[in-house]
Amino acid sequence: MSSEDIQSEHGHSPSALIAARIEKRWATLSVAIIVLLAAMAAFAGIHQATMPQARVETADPSTLHLSGEFIESNLGSAVEPDGSVTVRAIGQQYSFTPQCVVVPADTPVTLRATSADVVHGILIEGTNINTMLVPGYVSVMNARFKEPGDHLMPCQEFCGVGHEGMWGKVQVVDKDTFRAMSTDNRRLTCVK
Amino acid sequence: MLSNKRLVLAHFLLAFVLFGVALLLGAWQMYIRSPLHPWLSNPELYYRSLTAHGTVMGYAFPTLIAMGFGYAISQLALKQPLVGPRWAWASFFLVAGGAVVAMIPVSLGWASVLYTFYPPLIANPLFYIGVVLLVVGSWIWVALMSINLRVWKRANPGVPVPLAMFANVAGSYLWGWTAIGAALEVLLQILPVALGFKHTIDAGLSRVFFSWTLHAIVYFWLMPTYIAYYTIVPRAIGGKLYSDTMARISFILFLVVAMPIGIHHVFADPEVGAGFKFIHSAFTALVALPTLLTVFTICASVEIAGRLRGGKGIFGWLKVLPWQNPIMLAVAFSFVMLGFGGAGGLINMSYQLDTTIHNTQWITGHFHLIFGGAIVIMYFAIAYDLWPHLTGRALTDLRLMRAQLWLWFIGMIVTTFPWHWVGILGMPRRMAFFDYTSPELQPEAISVIVSAFGGFILVISGFMFLAVLARGMMTPRTQAGEYRFSVAVHPPVRVPVALNSHGLWVGLMIALTLTNYAFPIFDLAVRKDTSVPAVYVGAR
């Protein structure tokens, strides 16, 4: 039942009808605004702007160090056959492994990360790379760093009293430097 | 016709005393993590304080306000004595006792897990038991509100339920249902581990359960404020409510769509797939609708007051509004903060933009502006409006009340605007310390200092508020007269069943929760490979 019907049930005073009409106009405008917002989100999503992670993947934190993609020797940045780079990292109370992530500029980068203990987060300042690390699950984010430079990489979720000290770093180097680095090492970091 | 004044007064007094303590803790935290204070050698103290601040401000304070206000509305709007006063007192003592039981381990440092729990971190079991008692106590209130309305309806068949009570009961049902998410998390997952029966927990499932509560709880905090907008403000400033029908529609919309949208809190999480994230994002856009409708109706109602006072022209009515009246001032400030906070909220719920500000200081700035600002300033207004009726003594110090409201508004803006800004710069949340000597963090230092001063202004305002209430209990006794709620320009004579009862809408709320949450929860619950060892904090 529309608001006009209700108003008209108790008297057809012209002011009541006018009031209801104005109100209806506003309600229509409000709905239009909301539909527009949702449509914009859908459009941007379909056209592959930044998207929340699509699929759920799991990793057992109690065996991370024994087998699978998150064993220590496999952490860091790896060059894929198609030229893109995959970064694998772990968060634990109260540091990241590796603490310093090195990536090439202007190259597709896939971040794959998980937690070895409690809930952590990875945020790379000056970018919109921002994801939770939930133990038991693998977080995946796609990124492309435009220019070389350094970024702070704090944990953004409360993970215990040492949370304040959990800061990592991201070093974006130009493509040639990165290629030169990767000839010697299968997995790259900038940990000194 | 407040036959049970002491019950309402007890809720408000406890709420505001707790609020005062938590406010001090909040300001202390802002000071500690600003450049004004060197490194805190024991960061555990910071997180202890943060847990207490969040638990009081998020659970105890607004719940007590909603309960006290609800009991007042039930008596004043229905004009009948409260049904079940003994149950009401029992529920009050459960809530108060729960708050104490929860705060003991928190103050001892045995439960520094924040009010959002964060398993697999596991605190002392008393913390969770206290929170459960608090929630169970508030569920008694939910039942009492429903029973009081039912008794009234039986005595008044076919009469429109007064708007204040209609909204109040909608708010109570919303709370009853939204609290279930966190209750499931605590009872099924956390407590068995905290008590030592189990040692592993699925953190992803916990986060989804908590998101069920985490968003709609915001609308539960908001309900008393919206009830005040519709049923106190127009009367207090000498106007009329533009539309009773639209008010009912707004409260119904809150009841139905506040619930199935919580997964927007876990956009950045790996345990939920993109499909449900998008659905929840779209539903979150829907919840802006009742607020847009409310903004229209209340602005129109205020305009009516301005025109009745002789205001002419497009803006002339604004000038003649009773700006000396604290309620007028409060609602104006509340709307400004709601506007900024709401705009920020649209960014948070956005499927794409969220990633820029997720878990940064922007988020803390956002909910302090909305809850601490737009909502709490109306809690002050509610207290100012009801106090003479509760104490039988007039509040005479209008100048102090106005100064208090101004300071709260200024303090909130000074606190939260720089807070949003450093969030955009990427400053993470929940840190007891930042190394401002680092060149990357140095540009944020000045904003954090400004924000901390905003916090100090809020402390001054908060204590002025408590002083107004305290002084109001010492003035000579007077007759407050009959309490009145706002009257609509066209008061409802008959209201369709759908706008006069809650059953259909509660059914829809539950159905939408199931469609939006059943699969994500079931999907995680049947996984065998994602339970992780608990990490116990504090002494056991």
Side-chain angles (χ1 to χ4, degrees), chain A residues 6 10 13 15-16 19 23 26 30 34 41 45 50 52-54 56 58 61 117-118 123 125 128 130-132 137-139 152 154-158 161 163-164 167, chain B residues 39 44 47 112 118 120 202 207 242-243 246 268-270 273-274 292 296 351-352 355 358-360 426 429-433 440 490 493 524 527 529-530 532 535:
Chain A
I6 296 153
H10 47 81
S13 75
S15 75
E23 198 170 62
W26 173 256
S30 303
I34 286 158
T50 316
Q53 180 172 348
V56 179
T58 60
D117 42 39
V118 300
L123 180 151
E125 291 195 354
N128 56 3
N130 193 344
T131 187
M132 302 302 303
Y137 300 86
V138 182
S139 300
L152 289 177
C155 168
Q156 34 79 334
E157 187 58 283
F158 176 71
V161 292
H163 170 54
E164 61 173 25
W167 293 73
Chain B
W39 179 59
E44 199 275 321
Y47 295 112
S112 298
Y118 291 131
D202 186 332
R207 292 177 66 79
Y242 184 86
S243 164
M246 202 50 112
D269 277 38
L292 287 171
F296 174 84
Y351 200 44
Q352 283 88 17
T355 172
H358 173 75
N359 260 347
T360 66
R429 285 176 75 175
R430 306 182 182 107
M431 294 225 159
F433 171 75
E440 286 103 333
H490 304 283
V493 181
L524 292 173
R527 278 183 187 275
D529 52 346
T530 48
V532 300
V535 177

Coordinates of all heavy atoms in Angstrom, one line a residue, chain A residues 6 10 13 15-16 19 23 26 30 34 41 45 50 52-54 56 58 61 117-118 123 125 128 130-132 137-139 152 154-158 161 163-164 167, chain B residues 39 44 47 112 118 120 202 207 242-243 246 268-270 273-274 292 296 351-352 355 358-360 426 429-433 440 490 493 524 527 529-530 532 535:
Chain A
I6 N -2.7 5.5 2.2 CA -2.9 5.6 3.7 C -3.4 7.0 4.0 O -4.4 7.2 4.8 CB -1.6 5.3 4.4 CG1 -1.2 3.9 4.1 CG2 -1.8 5.5 5.9 CD1 0.3 3.7 4.2
H10 N -7.7 8.7 5.7 CA -8.2 9.6 6.7 C -8.2 11.0 6.2 O -7.5 11.9 6.6 CB -7.4 9.4 8.0 CG -5.9 9.5 7.8 ND1 -5.2 10.6 7.7 CD2 -5.0 8.5 7.7 CE1 -3.9 10.4 7.5 NE2 -3.8 9.1 7.6
S13 N -7.6 15.9 2.6 CA -7.2 17.3 2.6 C -6.1 17.5 1.6 O -5.2 16.7 1.5 CB -6.8 17.7 4.0 OG -5.5 17.2 4.3
S15 N -3.6 19.4 1.6 CA -2.2 19.5 2.1 C -1.7 18.1 2.3 O -0.5 17.9 2.1 CB -2.2 20.3 3.4 OG -2.8 19.6 4.5
A16 N -2.5 17.2 2.7 CA -2.1 15.8 3.0 C -1.6 15.2 1.7 O -0.6 14.5 1.6 CB -3.1 15.0 3.6
A19 N 1.7 16.8 0.6 CA 2.8 16.3 1.5 C 3.2 14.9 1.0 O 4.4 14.6 0.8 CB 2.3 16.2 2.9
E23 N 6.8 13.7 -0.7 CA 7.5 12.6 0.0 C 7.8 11.5 -1.0 O 8.9 10.9 -1.0 CB 6.6 12.1 1.1 CG 7.2 11.3 2.1 CD 6.2 11.1 3.2 OE1 5.1 10.5 3.0 OE2 6.4 11.6 4.3
W26 N 10.7 12.3 -3.2 CA 12.0 12.1 -2.5 C 12.4 10.6 -2.4 O 13.5 10.2 -2.6 CB 12.0 12.8 -1.2 CG 13.2 12.5 -0.4 CD1 13.3 11.6 0.7 CD2 14.5 13.0 -0.6 NE1 14.6 11.5 1.1 CE2 15.4 12.4 0.4 CE3 15.1 13.9 -1.5 CZ2 16.8 12.7 0.4 CZ3 16.4 14.2 -1.4 CH2 17.2 13.6 -0.5
S30 N 15.7 8.8 -3.8 CA 16.5 8.0 -2.9 C 16.8 6.6 -3.5 O 17.9 6.2 -3.5 CB 15.9 7.8 -1.5 OG 15.6 9.1 -1.0
I34 N 20.4 4.9 -4.8 CA 21.0 3.7 -4.4 C 21.2 2.7 -5.5 O 22.2 2.0 -5.6 CB 20.0 3.1 -3.3 CG1 20.2 3.9 -2.0 CG2 20.3 1.6 -3.0 CD1 19.0 3.9 -1.1
A41 N 29.0 -0.1 -8.7 CA 29.9 -1.1 -8.1 C 29.9 -2.3 -9.0 O 31.0 -2.9 -9.3 CB 29.4 -1.5 -6.7
G45 N 33.2 -3.7 -11.0 CA 33.6 -5.1 -10.7 C 33.7 -5.9 -12.0 O 34.7 -6.6 -12.1
T50 N 39.6 -3.0 -8.9 CA 40.0 -3.7 -7.7 C 38.8 -4.6 -7.3 O 37.7 -4.1 -7.2 CB 40.4 -2.8 -6.6 OG1 41.2 -1.7 -7.1 CG2 41.1 -3.5 -5.5
P52 N 37.4 -7.6 -4.4 CA 37.8 -8.5 -3.3 C 38.1 -9.9 -3.8 O 37.7 -10.2 -4.9 CB 36.5 -8.5 -2.5 CG 35.7 -7.3 -2.9 CD 36.1 -7.1 -4.4
Q53 N 38.8 -10.6 -3.0 CA 39.3 -11.9 -3.4 C 38.1 -12.8 -3.8 O 37.0 -12.8 -3.1 CB 40.0 -12.6 -2.2 CG 40.5 -14.0 -2.5 CD 41.3 -14.5 -1.4 OE1 41.7 -13.7 -0.5 NE2 41.6 -15.7 -1.4
A54 N 38.2 -13.5 -4.9 CA 37.0 -14.2 -5.4 C 36.9 -15.7 -4.8 O 35.8 -16.1 -4.5 CB 37.2 -14.3 -6.9
V56 N 37.9 -19.1 -2.3 CA 38.4 -19.5 -1.0 C 39.5 -20.6 -1.1 O 39.2 -21.6 -1.7 CB 37.3 -19.9 -0.1 CG1 37.8 -20.3 1.3 CG2 36.2 -18.8 0.0
T58 N 42.6 -22.8 1.2 CA 43.0 -23.0 2.5 C 44.5 -23.5 2.7 O 45.1 -24.0 1.7 CB 42.1 -24.1 3.2 OG1 42.3 -25.3 2.4 CG2 40.7 -23.7 3.2
P61 N 47.9 -24.0 9.1 CA 49.0 -23.3 9.7 C 50.0 -24.2 10.5 O 51.1 -23.8 10.7 CB 48.3 -22.2 10.7 CG 47.0 -22.8 10.9 CD 46.6 -23.6 9.7
D117 N 49.7 -18.1 12.8 CA 49.1 -18.2 14.2 C 47.8 -17.5 14.3 O 46.7 -18.2 14.2 CB 50.1 -17.7 15.2 CG 50.8 -16.4 14.8 OD1 50.2 -15.5 14.2 OD2 52.0 -16.3 15.1
V118 N 47.7 -16.2 14.5 CA 46.5 -15.5 14.7 C 46.1 -14.7 13.5 O 46.7 -14.8 12.4 CB 46.5 -14.6 16.0 CG1 46.9 -15.4 17.2 CG2 47.6 -13.5 15.8
L123 N 48.9 -4.3 4.8 CA 48.5 -3.1 4.1 C 49.7 -2.5 3.6 O 50.7 -2.4 4.3 CB 47.8 -2.2 5.2 CG 47.3 -0.8 4.8 CD1 46.2 -0.4 5.7 CD2 48.4 0.3 4.9
E125 N 51.3 0.8 2.3 CA 50.9 2.2 2.3 C 51.2 2.8 1.0 O 52.1 2.5 0.3 CB 51.7 2.9 3.4 CG 51.2 2.5 4.8 CD 51.7 3.5 5.9 OE1 52.5 4.4 5.6 OE2 51.3 3.3 7.1
N128 N 46.5 0.6 -2.9 CA 45.2 0.1 -2.3 C 45.4 -1.4 -2.1 O 44.4 -2.1 -2.1 CB 44.0 0.5 -3.1 CG 44.2 0.0 -4.6 OD1 45.1 -0.6 -4.9 ND2 43.2 0.3 -5.4
N130 N 45.5 -4.3 0.3 CA 45.1 -4.3 1.7 C 44.3 -5.6 1.9 O 43.2 -5.7 1.3 CB 44.1 -3.1 1.9 CG 43.8 -2.8 3.4 OD1 44.0 -3.7 4.2 ND2 43.4 -1.6 3.6
T131 N 44.8 -6.5 2.7 CA 44.0 -7.8 2.8 C 44.2 -8.3 4.2 O 45.2 -8.0 4.9 CB 44.5 -8.8 1.7 OG1 43.6 -9.9 1.8 CG2 45.9 -9.3 1.9
M132 N 43.3 -9.2 4.6 CA 43.4 -9.8 5.9 C 44.2 -11.1 5.8 O 44.2 -11.7 4.7 CB 42.1 -10.2 6.5 CG 41.1 -9.1 6.7 SD 41.7 -7.8 7.7 CE 42.0 -8.7 9.2
Y137 N 43.5 -19.9 6.0 CA 43.1 -19.5 4.7 C 44.2 -18.8 3.9 O 45.1 -18.2 4.6 CB 41.9 -18.6 4.8 CG 40.7 -19.2 5.4 CD1 40.6 -19.2 6.8 CD2 39.7 -19.9 4.7 CE1 39.5 -19.8 7.5 CE2 38.6 -20.5 5.3 CZ 38.5 -20.5 6.7 OH 37.5 -21.1 7.3
V138 N 44.2 -18.8 2.6 CA 45.2 -18.1 1.8 C 44.6 -16.9 1.2 O 43.5 -16.9 0.6 CB 45.7 -19.0 0.7 CG1 46.8 -18.3 -0.1 CG2 46.2 -20.3 1.2
S139 N 45.2 -15.7 1.4 CA 44.8 -14.5 0.9 C 45.5 -14.2 -0.4 O 46.7 -14.4 -0.5 CB 45.1 -13.3 1.8 OG 44.4 -13.5 3.0
L152 N 55.9 1.4 3.3 CA 55.7 0.6 4.5 C 54.6 -0.4 4.4 O 53.7 -0.2 3.6 CB 55.3 1.6 5.7 CG 56.4 2.6 6.1 CD1 55.8 3.5 7.2 CD2 57.6 1.8 6.7
P154 N 52.6 -2.3 7.1 CA 52.2 -2.6 8.5 C 51.2 -3.8 8.5 O 50.4 -3.9 7.6 CB 51.6 -1.4 9.1 CG 51.1 -0.6 7.9 CD 52.0 -1.0 6.7
C155 N 51.1 -4.5 9.6 CA 50.0 -5.4 9.9 C 48.9 -4.4 10.4 O 49.1 -3.6 11.2 CB 50.4 -6.3 11.1 SG 49.0 -7.2 11.7
Q156 N 47.7 -4.6 9.8 CA 46.6 -3.6 10.1 C 45.6 -4.2 11.1 O 44.5 -3.6 11.3 CB 46.0 -3.0 8.9 CG 45.9 -3.9 7.6 CD 44.7 -4.9 7.7 OE1 44.3 -5.3 8.7 NE2 44.3 -5.3 6.5
E157 N 45.8 -5.4 11.6 CA 44.8 -6.0 12.5 C 45.4 -6.4 13.8 O 46.6 -6.8 13.8 CB 44.2 -7.3 11.8 CG 43.0 -7.9 12.6 CD 41.9 -6.9 12.7 OE1 42.0 -6.0 13.6 OE2 40.9 -7.0 12.0
F158 N 44.7 -6.2 14.9 CA 45.2 -6.5 16.2 C 45.5 -8.0 16.3 O 44.7 -8.8 16.0 CB 44.1 -6.2 17.3 CG 44.5 -6.5 18.6 CD1 45.5 -5.8 19.3 CD2 43.9 -7.6 19.3 CE1 45.9 -6.2 20.6 CE2 44.3 -8.0 20.6 CZ 45.3 -7.3 21.2
V161 N 49.7 -8.2 21.9 CA 50.3 -6.9 22.5 C 51.5 -6.4 21.7 O 51.8 -5.3 21.8 CB 50.7 -7.1 23.9 CG1 49.5 -7.3 24.8 CG2 51.7 -8.3 24.1
H163 N 51.5 -6.1 18.5 CA 51.0 -5.6 17.2 C 51.7 -4.4 16.7 O 51.9 -4.2 15.5 CB 49.5 -5.4 17.3 CG 48.8 -4.8 16.1 ND1 49.0 -5.2 14.8 CD2 48.0 -3.7 16.1 CE1 48.3 -4.4 14.0 NE2 47.7 -3.4 14.8
E164 N 51.9 -3.4 17.7 CA 52.5 -2.1 17.3 C 53.8 -2.3 16.6 O 54.3 -1.3 15.9 CB 52.7 -1.3 18.6 CG 53.6 -2.0 19.6 CD 54.0 -1.1 20.8 OE1 53.2 -0.2 21.1 OE2 55.0 -1.3 21.4
W167 N 55.8 -4.2 11.5 CA 55.9 -3.4 10.3 C 56.9 -4.1 9.3 O 58.0 -4.3 9.7 CB 56.4 -2.0 10.6 CG 55.4 -1.2 11.4 CD1 55.1 -1.3 12.7 CD2 54.6 -0.1 10.9 NE1 54.2 -0.4 13.1 CE2 53.9 0.4 12.0 CE3 54.5 0.6 9.7 CZ2 53.0 1.5 11.9 CZ3 53.6 1.6 9.6 CH2 52.9 2.1 10.7
Chain B
W39 N 57.2 6.3 23.8 CA 56.9 4.9 23.7 C 56.4 4.4 25.1 O 57.0 4.6 26.1 CB 58.1 4.1 23.2 CG 57.8 2.6 23.1 CD1 56.9 2.0 22.4 CD2 58.6 1.6 23.8 NE1 57.0 0.7 22.5 CE2 58.0 0.4 23.4 CE3 59.7 1.6 24.8 CZ2 58.5 -0.8 23.9 CZ3 60.1 0.4 25.2 CH2 59.6 -0.8 24.8
E44 N 50.8 -3.6 26.6 CA 49.6 -4.4 27.1 C 48.6 -3.4 27.7 O 47.4 -3.6 27.6 CB 50.0 -5.5 28.0 CG 49.0 -6.6 28.1 CD 48.0 -6.3 29.2 OE1 48.4 -5.7 30.3 OE2 46.8 -6.6 29.0
Y47 N 46.3 -2.0 25.2 CA 45.2 -2.9 24.7 C 44.2 -3.2 25.7 O 43.0 -3.5 25.4 CB 45.9 -4.1 24.0 CG 46.7 -3.7 22.8 CD1 48.1 -3.8 22.8 CD2 46.1 -3.2 21.7 CE1 48.8 -3.4 21.7 CE2 46.8 -2.8 20.6 CZ 48.2 -2.9 20.6 OH 48.9 -2.5 19.5
S112 N 42.9 -9.0 27.0 CA 43.2 -7.9 26.1 C 43.1 -8.4 24.6 O 44.1 -8.6 23.9 CB 44.6 -7.3 26.3 OG 44.6 -6.8 27.6
Y118 N 38.5 -11.4 18.3 CA 39.6 -11.9 17.5 C 40.1 -13.3 17.8 O 41.3 -13.4 18.0 CB 40.7 -10.9 17.5 CG 40.4 -9.6 16.8 CD1 40.6 -8.4 17.4 CD2 39.8 -9.7 15.6 CE1 40.2 -7.2 16.7 CE2 39.4 -8.5 14.9 CZ 39.6 -7.3 15.5 OH 39.3 -6.2 14.9
P120 N 41.8 -16.7 16.7 CA 42.2 -17.6 17.7 C 42.8 -17.0 19.0 O 43.2 -17.8 19.8 CB 43.2 -18.6 17.0 CG 43.8 -17.7 15.9 CD 42.7 -16.8 15.5
D202 N 38.0 -22.3 14.3 CA 38.0 -21.8 12.9 C 37.9 -20.3 12.9 O 36.8 -19.8 13.1 CB 36.9 -22.5 12.1 CG 37.0 -22.1 10.6 OD1 37.5 -21.0 10.3 OD2 36.6 -22.9 9.8
R207 N 34.8 -15.0 12.2 CA 34.7 -13.7 11.6 C 33.4 -13.5 10.9 O 32.8 -12.4 11.0 CB 35.9 -13.4 10.7 CG 37.2 -13.3 11.5 CD 38.4 -13.1 10.5 NE 38.4 -11.8 9.8 CZ 38.8 -10.7 10.4 NH1 39.2 -10.6 11.6 NH2 38.7 -9.6 9.7
Y242 N 6.4 15.6 10.0 CA 5.9 15.7 8.6 C 5.0 14.5 8.2 O 4.0 14.6 7.6 CB 7.1 15.8 7.7 CG 6.7 16.0 6.2 CD1 6.5 17.3 5.7 CD2 6.7 15.0 5.4 CE1 6.2 17.5 4.4 CE2 6.4 15.2 4.0 CZ 6.1 16.4 3.6 OH 5.8 16.6 2.2
S243 N 5.5 13.3 8.6 CA 4.8 12.1 8.1 C 5.0 10.9 9.1 O 6.1 10.5 9.3 CB 5.2 11.7 6.7 OG 4.8 10.4 6.4
M246 N 5.8 7.6 6.8 CA 7.1 7.4 6.3 C 8.0 7.0 7.5 O 9.0 6.3 7.3 CB 7.6 8.7 5.7 CG 8.8 8.5 4.7 SD 8.5 7.2 3.5 CE 8.3 8.1 2.0
A268 N 37.8 -7.8 2.8 CA 39.2 -8.1 2.6 C 39.6 -9.4 3.2 O 40.8 -9.7 3.3 CB 40.1 -7.0 3.3
D269 N 38.7 -10.2 3.5 CA 39.0 -11.5 4.1 C 39.0 -12.7 3.1 O 38.3 -12.6 2.1 CB 37.9 -11.9 5.1 CG 38.1 -11.3 6.5 OD1 38.6 -10.1 6.5 OD2 37.9 -11.9 7.5
P270 N 39.9 -13.7 3.4 CA 40.0 -14.8 2.4 C 38.9 -15.9 2.6 O 38.9 -16.8 1.7 CB 41.4 -15.3 2.7 CG 41.6 -15.0 4.2 CD 40.9 -13.8 4.4
G273 N 33.8 -15.9 -0.4 CA 34.0 -15.7 -1.8 C 33.3 -14.4 -2.3 O 32.6 -13.7 -1.6
A274 N 33.6 -14.1 -3.6 CA 33.2 -12.8 -4.1 C 31.7 -12.6 -4.2 O 31.2 -11.5 -4.1 CB 33.9 -12.5 -5.5
L292 N 18.1 8.2 4.2 CA 17.7 9.2 3.3 C 16.3 9.7 3.5 O 16.0 10.9 3.5 CB 17.9 8.8 1.8 CG 19.3 8.6 1.4 CD1 19.4 7.9 0.0 CD2 20.0 10.0 1.3
F296 N 15.0 13.5 5.0 CA 13.9 14.3 4.4 C 12.8 14.7 5.4 O 12.4 15.8 5.6 CB 13.3 13.6 3.2 CG 12.1 14.3 2.6 CD1 12.3 15.3 1.7 CD2 10.8 13.9 3.0 CE1 11.2 15.9 1.1 CE2 9.7 14.6 2.5 CZ 9.9 15.6 1.5
Y351 N 32.3 -2.0 -2.8 CA 33.0 -3.2 -3.1 C 34.5 -2.9 -3.5 O 35.4 -3.7 -3.2 CB 32.2 -3.8 -4.3 CG 32.4 -5.2 -4.6 CD1 32.4 -6.1 -3.6 CD2 32.6 -5.6 -5.9 CE1 32.6 -7.5 -3.9 CE2 32.7 -6.9 -6.2 CZ 32.7 -7.9 -5.2 OH 32.8 -9.2 -5.5
Q352 N 34.7 -1.7 -4.1 CA 36.1 -1.4 -4.6 C 36.8 -0.5 -3.6 O 38.0 -0.7 -3.3 CB 36.0 -0.8 -6.0 CG 35.8 -1.8 -7.1 CD 34.3 -2.0 -7.3 OE1 33.5 -1.2 -6.9 NE2 34.0 -3.1 -8.0
T355 N 39.0 -1.2 -0.1 CA 40.3 -1.7 0.0 C 41.3 -0.6 0.3 O 42.4 -0.8 0.9 CB 40.7 -2.5 -1.3 OG1 42.1 -2.7 -1.2 CG2 40.5 -1.7 -2.5
H358 N 40.4 0.0 4.3 CA 40.1 -1.1 5.3 C 41.1 -1.2 6.4 O 42.3 -1.1 6.2 CB 40.1 -2.4 4.5 CG 40.0 -3.6 5.4 ND1 38.8 -4.0 5.9 CD2 40.9 -4.5 5.8 CE1 39.0 -5.1 6.7 NE2 40.3 -5.4 6.6
N359 N 40.6 -1.2 7.6 CA 41.5 -1.3 8.8 C 42.5 -0.2 9.0 O 43.5 -0.4 9.6 CB 42.2 -2.7 8.9 CG 41.5 -3.6 9.8 OD1 40.6 -3.2 10.6 ND2 41.8 -4.9 9.8
T360 N 42.3 0.9 8.3 CA 43.1 2.1 8.6 C 42.4 2.9 9.7 O 41.3 2.7 10.1 CB 43.3 2.9 7.4 OG1 42.1 3.5 7.0 CG2 43.9 2.1 6.2
G426 N 47.1 5.8 5.0 CA 47.5 4.4 5.2 C 47.9 4.0 6.6 O 48.5 3.0 6.8
R429 N 45.2 0.7 12.1 CA 44.5 0.8 13.3 C 45.2 0.0 14.5 O 46.0 -0.8 14.2 CB 43.1 0.1 13.2 CG 42.1 0.8 12.4 CD 40.9 0.0 12.2 NE 40.1 0.0 13.5 CZ 38.9 -0.6 13.6 NH1 38.4 -1.2 12.5 NH2 38.2 -0.6 14.7
R430 N 44.7 0.3 15.7 CA 45.0 -0.5 16.9 C 46.4 -0.6 17.2 O 46.9 -1.7 17.6 CB 44.4 -1.9 16.7 CG 42.9 -1.8 16.3 CD 42.3 -3.2 16.2 NE 40.9 -3.2 15.8 CZ 40.4 -3.5 14.6 NH1 41.3 -3.9 13.7 NH2 39.2 -3.4 14.4
M431 N 47.2 0.4 17.0 CA 48.6 0.4 17.3 C 48.8 1.3 18.6 O 48.4 2.4 18.6 CB 49.4 0.9 16.2 CG 49.4 0.0 15.0 SD 51.0 -0.3 14.3 CE 50.7 -1.8 13.4
A432 N 49.6 0.8 19.5 CA 49.8 1.5 20.7 C 51.0 2.5 20.5 O 51.2 3.4 21.4 CB 50.2 0.6 21.9
F433 N 51.7 2.4 19.4 CA 52.8 3.2 19.2 C 53.1 3.4 17.7 O 53.0 2.4 17.0 CB 54.1 2.6 19.9 CG 55.4 3.3 19.6 CD1 55.7 4.5 20.1 CD2 56.3 2.7 18.7 CE1 56.9 5.2 19.8 CE2 57.5 3.4 18.4 CZ 57.7 4.6 18.9
E440 N 58.5 8.2 6.7 CA 57.2 7.8 6.1 C 56.0 8.2 7.1 O 54.9 8.4 6.6 CB 57.1 6.3 5.8 CG 57.9 5.9 4.6 CD 59.2 5.2 5.0 OE1 59.7 5.5 6.1 OE2 59.7 4.4 4.2
H490 N -0.6 15.2 10.0 CA -1.8 14.4 9.7 C -1.8 13.2 10.6 O -1.3 12.1 10.1 CB -2.0 14.1 8.3 CG -1.9 15.3 7.4 ND1 -3.0 16.1 7.2 CD2 -0.9 15.8 6.6 CE1 -2.7 17.1 6.4 NE2 -1.4 16.9 6.0
V493 N -5.2 7.9 11.6 CA -6.5 7.5 12.3 C -6.5 6.0 12.2 O -6.8 5.3 13.2 CB -7.7 8.1 11.5 CG1 -9.0 7.7 12.2 CG2 -7.5 9.6 11.5
L524 N 31.6 -22.8 5.6 CA 32.7 -22.8 6.5 C 32.6 -23.9 7.6 O 33.6 -24.5 8.0 CB 32.9 -21.4 7.1 CG 33.3 -20.3 6.2 CD1 33.3 -19.0 6.9 CD2 34.7 -20.6 5.6
R527 N 33.8 -27.4 6.7 CA 35.2 -27.5 6.3 C 35.9 -28.2 7.5 O 35.8 -27.8 8.7 CB 35.9 -26.2 6.1 CG 35.7 -25.7 4.7 CD 36.4 -24.4 4.5 NE 36.1 -23.8 3.3 CZ 36.7 -24.1 2.1 NH1 37.7 -24.9 2.1 NH2 36.3 -23.5 1.0
D529 N 39.4 -28.6 7.4 CA 40.8 -28.3 7.4 C 41.2 -26.9 7.9 O 42.3 -26.5 7.6 CB 41.3 -28.5 6.0 CG 40.5 -27.8 5.0 OD1 39.4 -27.3 5.3 OD2 40.9 -27.6 3.8
T530 N 40.3 -26.2 8.5 CA 40.6 -24.8 8.7 C 40.6 -24.4 10.2 O 40.7 -23.2 10.6 CB 39.6 -23.9 8.0 OG1 38.3 -24.3 8.3 CG2 39.9 -23.9 6.5
V532 N 42.3 -23.9 13.7 CA 43.7 -23.6 14.0 C 43.9 -23.6 15.5 O 42.9 -23.3 16.2 CB 44.2 -22.3 13.4 CG1 44.0 -22.4 11.9 CG2 43.4 -21.1 13.9
V535 N 45.4 -19.3 20.6 CA 46.5 -18.6 21.2 C 46.0 -17.9 22.4 O 45.3 -16.9 22.3 CB 47.1 -17.6 20.2 CG1 48.3 -16.8 20.8 CG2 47.6 -18.3 18.9

